Amino acid sequence: DSLCSSVSIALQYLPMLRLRLARLLHVLVLVSFFIGTAAFTANNLENLRCRVWDFIDNSGRNQPLLAQIVRLVFHDCVGGCNGLVNFDDHGNAGLSEPVDILQSLYEEEFASVMSRADFWAAAGGWAVVKGAANNAGGAVPPVSFFAGRNDATEHRVAPHLPNPHGGIEQVVDFFAAAFDFEEREAVAIMGAHTLGRARPEASGFRNTWVRNAHVLDNAYYQDLMDMSWHQHTFIRQDGIRNTQWVHGPGRGLMLNADVALWKD
């Protein structure tokens, strides 16, 4: 409770992060309170943060739910931030778990004051802030929230995610088309790979990008430039051969799309 009551003040006075991480945070989290409906209040947003952080803290070693929520909101916003993901799209594999957890919380406490799309967006923003707060001595910018998203009732045709085996042009072109991002913003948001791990049943790849997969820091960029990466091919349970980059026997993970940020 003391953490929940003091976090807003703490976020405003902590020193700023280094530029690249700060840029990533600003790309992932939109700022300044704007209450979109009469029923929705700042207290609702604070309560949502405390509840989401409780779920993250209790989700297991290295807080796997943190990255799952961030991934869910990103995939939702590829189609328009509308509170609906298409589970028939293999790119959304593995998202049913965070959807089920958040839906339970949404129906219990927040359905009467905000859309599911707004709820997912707020939960994702607070998950990002949680990752930054997990960074020892790290800081986050003052965080706010823009409400007003509408829930979709049917799936839209969304841009295909970049091919993980592709290069820098595919990454930049995707983020320009889907979010109108500039190249620097595309490179910044790739740093979200600092959070969580790849699972063969979800993405076809395996392992974490960095050691502390629940901490949002600069480790993704540091490892990308400092480690000696080489390609490793493994056979998935479905018999398909997959190739990823590692920096030792079974250690680390980078996709072609990650390594391209450095090599290209």
Side-chain angles (χ1 to χ4, degrees):
D1 290 342
S2 60
L3 175 63
C4 285
S5 62
S6 63
V7 69
S8 294
I9 298 174
L11 293 182
Q12 294 179 37
Y13 292 101
L14 286 170
M16 291 303 294
L17 293 171
R18 293 165 61 183
L19 175 62
R20 184 172 284 149
L21 180 54
R23 188 172 183 85
L24 169 59
L25 283 164
H26 281 292
V27 168
L28 291 174
V29 184
L30 297 178
V31 217
S32 177
F33 277 112
F34 173 77
I35 307 306
T37 67
F40 184 71
T41 68
N43 286 336
N44 295 138
L45 195 63
E46 281 294 292
N47 182 43
L48 190 155
R49 178 187 54 75
C50 291
R51 299 288 283 125
V52 168
W53 283 20
D54 283 344
F55 272 93
I56 289 172
D57 284 335
N58 294 319
S59 64
R61 184 172 178 269
N62 290 332
Q63 303 171 347
L65 183 60
L66 190 161
Q68 291 171 351
I69 292 176
V70 173
R71 178 173 177 250
L72 167 64
V73 175
F74 169 68
H75 282 232
D76 179 40
C77 288
V78 170
C81 296
N82 54 27
L84 187 67
V85 294
N86 182 5
F87 291 113
D88 291 330
D89 183 341
H90 66 84
N92 293 327
L95 291 177
S96 59
E97 182 176 351
V99 166
D100 290 344
I101 292 172
L102 290 182
Q103 184 63 19
S104 174
L105 178 58
Y106 175 67
E107 291 177 352
E108 287 178 9
E109 300 186 34
F110 299 96
S112 62
V113 295
M114 62 196 310
S115 67
R116 183 172 59 250
D118 274 347
F119 175 75
W120 281 8
W126 285 129
V128 170
V129 173
K130 174 69 169 171
N134 287 338
N135 181 21
V140 294
V143 173
S144 311
F145 177 69
F146 293 89
R149 300 164 188 80
N150 296 317
D151 293 337
T153 57
E154 59 184 30
H155 300 293
R156 301 176 185 176
V157 177
H160 290 292
L161 296 172
N163 184 339
H165 297 293
I168 185 64
E169 288 186 1
Q170 289 189 5
V171 172
V172 171
D173 289 349
F174 167 79
F175 283 109
F179 299 105
D180 198 27
F181 279 2
E182 298 177 357
E183 184 176 283
R184 283 171 57 85
E185 292 170 316
V187 172
I189 201 171
M190 289 291 285
H193 278 167
T194 300
L195 299 172
R197 66 181 302 114
R199 295 180 295 168
E201 65 272 19
S203 65
F205 301 94
R206 62 187 181 191
N207 217 339
T208 61
W209 279 262
V210 299
R211 173 175 291 184
N212 295 318
H214 63 298
V215 176
L216 186 63
D217 58 13
N218 284 327
Y220 169 82
Y221 302 104
Q222 292 171 346
D223 288 358
L224 185 59
M225 293 184 292
D226 295 344
M227 298 292 186
S228 179
W229 296 94
H230 63 274
Q231 289 188 315
H232 168 71
T233 300
F234 67 96
I235 301 177
R236 301 181 343 195
Q237 289 183 341
D238 57 10
I240 295 177
R241 296 170 65 88
N242 226 353
T243 300
Q244 62 187 51
W245 293 77
V246 298
H247 59 76
R251 297 178 62 187
L253 159 68
M254 289 287 169
L255 307 175
N256 263 24
D258 297 307
V259 174
L261 302 183
W262 170 53
K263 286 189 175 291
D264 290 350

